[in-house]
Amino acid sequence: MTKSTLTRRGVIKTGAYAGAGLALPTIFTSRARAFTNAPSGNTVTFGFNVPQTGPYADEGLDELRAQELAVEHLNGMGDGGMLNTFSSKALDGTGILGKQVEYVTGDTQTKSDAARASAKAMIEKDGVVMINGGSSSGVAVAVQGLCQEAGIIFMAGLTHSNDTTGKDRKKNGFRHFFNAYMSGAALAPVLEKAYGTDRRAYHLTADYTWGYTQQESIQASTEAIGWETVNNVLTPVGAGDFSSYIAPVLNSGADVLVLNHYGGDMINSITQAVQFGLRDKQVNGKQFEIVVPLYSELMAEGAGDNIKGVYGSMNWNWQLSDPGTKAFVKSFGEKYGRPPSNSAHTCYVQTLLYADAVARAGSFDPCAVAEALEGFEFDGMGNGPVLYRAEDHQCFKDVLVMKGKENPSTKYDILEIVEVTPVDHVTYPPDHPMFGGAEATLGQCNNGA
């Protein structure tokens, strides 16, 4: 675990926290109330927990770039980025409530156990008040549960499983990123227009929570337009070689391959599918097609020509023209020499949203912060008007449908925006069956006191 070289480490005391299996930092007492890791000096520490190794490492490292940039903007360094376009004006670039922001980082390795261990160390040893990050929903669900136990706010990074704000939702956890249901709702009308209603789909699905809910969502949305699901085969995360999973597709009678994969796994699986000649085949009198429900710029860059003409969805893209996007892309590009990914964007935005909630609440108490975030409506952060729904802590906003560009001009504009799906088309009730039904609840806020 590493700490920003721009900041100094404070002295953290530790004590026992009954019932949670954690040795949490001593709960400092303020006039109002006590809570975990209440900052007592002139600094406050954030924990950025991202995959720096493993199959999602490219996404994690881009998240880390954005998190560092957010801290710089909060502390008054650089051009301020989205602080200049954010509809809330509670932050002024002088830190948060008079405190400069420090941060520590950890490597989740795209593994739930490693992520929990990293987050636990941040809470116990580094005294963080908030944890942000993750590029795997399995990691996000695990760390969100830990933060709930510890009395820490979790601002999720890249997590797309319905479960994060569905059956595994927590009062101390918040997600800005969109989810699998939203991808299905946005993609289905576009796929119907492009490929028709008489299609047979074969799914290869990452064998963990995100893959399960992504596949369920895409199957439901495509069957609703008339498609038939031929098969769904689970694949291990980090498999590398997917040839044994792709070969059976050739004789399955399917004319669409849906790759419910992400990161390096998606790059490998789509590359191998193209090498098998799937996109050159005619099946059932139709051109064989491939769909990648969840896209990222970094994945597209890695897959290269293999994603030309392939549809997918995204939470955000650097090619949007709104003022918030332009401000963030400018700041990020000047610092790192490339446009940000949508995983970088969501981590940057989440860091600012947490800081803003603290400023509006006038306290780092996690329950006060949660109250400030629930039902919060904002704009100027790159997605248009956004609602942080109180019932499940899910952000609701427009969703992008993307397609691999046939003739990109640079290695960064490999994807093009083909449709901006309005938020009303991807909104669902909090008790939707895919999100745990009526039994799913946030529970009680825990401030660690």
Side-chain angles (χ1 to χ4, degrees):
M1 183 175 301
T2 59
K3 190 165 184 105
S4 166
T5 56
L6 300 175
T7 58
R8 295 175 296 174
R9 184 184 298 275
V11 177
I12 306 298
K13 300 178 180 179
T14 59
Y17 178 60
L22 294 171
L24 294 181
T26 297
I27 299 171
F28 298 93
T29 303
S30 66
R31 291 180 184 178
R33 63 195 303 182
F35 57 93
T36 301
N37 289 341
S40 58
N42 59 3
T43 63
V44 62
T45 305
F46 291 174
F48 297 142
N49 206 24
V50 302
Q52 299 181 52
T53 58
Y56 295 175
D58 287 347
E59 303 290 337
L61 293 173
D62 215 41
E63 289 178 330
L64 199 54
R65 296 183 188 107
Q67 290 160 335
E68 179 181 343
L69 184 63
V71 169
E72 291 182 2
H73 290 166
L74 289 172
N75 287 338
M77 301 169 63
D79 61 10
M82 283 185 171
L83 289 182
N84 299 312
T85 60
F86 188 16
S87 56
S88 174
K89 300 304 177 185
L91 299 168
D92 59 8
T94 60
I96 311 171
L97 299 184
K99 300 179 187 297
Q100 288 286 286
V101 180
E102 299 182 349
Y103 65 91
V104 292
T105 71
D107 181 9
T108 69
Q109 304 172 41
T110 321
K111 298 176 181 177
S112 297
D113 289 346
R116 281 180 65 94
S118 179
K120 183 173 182 287
M122 290 178 176
I123 296 168
E124 292 182 355
K125 299 177 181 179
D126 299 301
V128 301
V129 296
M130 178 273 286
I131 290 178
N132 166 244
S135 290
S136 157
S137 291
V139 163
V141 168
V143 174
Q144 180 169 260
L146 180 82
C147 289
Q148 179 68 39
E149 295 171 2
I152 295 293
I153 290 292
F154 177 61
M155 300 296 284
L158 197 165
T159 169
H160 191 242
S161 170
N162 293 339
D163 292 346
T164 308
T165 47
K167 71 179 184 64
D168 295 313
R169 69 185 73 167
K170 301 295 183 199
K171 190 74 168 180
N172 284 45
F174 292 84
R175 172 164 60 181
H176 170 263
F177 206 69
F178 73 146
N179 57 47
Y181 174 93
M182 295 175 178
S183 285
L187 276 170
V190 175
L191 295 176
E192 180 180 9
K193 183 177 180 180
Y195 303 142
T197 60
D198 183 21
R199 283 284 184 167
R200 307 186 76 221
Y202 192 112
H203 292 248
L204 294 182
T205 300
D207 189 7
Y208 75 106
T209 177
W210 168 67
Y212 307 151
T213 67
Q214 178 63 89
Q215 192 279 329
E216 178 188 29
S217 298
I218 292 295
Q219 178 174 333
S221 64
T222 54
E223 289 184 351
I225 62 172
W227 288 23
E228 177 187 349
T229 302
V230 173
N231 202 359
N232 175 43
V233 177
L234 299 179
T235 61
V237 175
D241 183 2
F242 290 92
S243 57
S244 64
Y245 298 99
I246 295 170
V249 179
L250 296 168
N251 299 313
S252 67
D255 47 46
V256 177
L257 174 61
V258 181
L259 292 174
N260 300 300
H261 290 160
Y262 196 75
D265 285 348
M266 191 288 284
I267 294 171
N268 290 329
S269 62
I270 195 170
T271 299
Q272 290 161 26
V274 171
Q275 290 171 345
F276 267 77
L278 287 182
R279 299 194 70 189
D280 299 324
K281 293 187 175 299
Q282 291 279 326
V283 180
N284 305 324
K286 307 176 186 67
Q287 182 67 40
F288 195 97
E289 302 292 351
I290 298 176
V291 176
V292 177
L294 179 59
Y295 256 142
S296 87
E297 299 88 345
L298 299 172
M299 284 163 38
E301 188 178 329
D305 290 346
N306 296 316
I307 56 91
K308 287 185 176 182
V310 174
Y311 286 99
S313 66
M314 291 181 73
N315 183 68
W316 172 88
N317 181 264
W318 68 272
Q319 297 173 90
L320 290 167
S321 60
D322 61 278
T325 293
K326 288 182 176 180
F328 178 50
V329 171
K330 176 178 179 292
S331 297
F332 193 97
E334 288 178 352
K335 184 172 177 64
Y336 300 112
R338 60 172 298 138
S341 64
N342 75 156
S343 56
H345 169 258
T346 204
C347 283
Y348 176 90
V349 170
Q350 284 282 73
T351 303
L352 296 192
L353 286 172
Y354 171 81
D356 173 77
V358 170
R360 289 186 291 109
S363 173
F364 288 97
D365 185 319
C367 294
V369 174
E371 185 176 350
L373 284 169
E374 289 180 341
F376 181 49
E377 298 182 43
F378 59 93
D379 202 346
M381 304 290 265
N383 296 105
V386 182
L387 166 67
Y388 236 133
R389 189 161 71 178
E391 290 86 351
D392 53 8
H393 295 182
Q394 172 68 54
C395 272
F396 286 84
K397 53 195 180 305
D398 297 345
V399 170
L400 305 182
V401 176
M402 312 295 293
K403 187 168 83 167
K405 190 177 290 187
E406 294 291 345
N407 297 296
S409 58
T410 73
K411 67 177 181 179
Y412 300 124
D413 71 339
I414 299 173
L415 297 173
E416 61 180 327
I417 302 169
V418 296
E419 184 166 309
V420 179
T421 305
V423 61
D424 290 349
H425 293 189
V426 299
T427 299
Y428 53 87
D431 60 352
H432 189 285
M434 286 188 185
F435 293 82
E439 292 76 27
T441 62
L442 288 167
Q444 298 297 313
C445 179
N446 178 23
N447 66 4

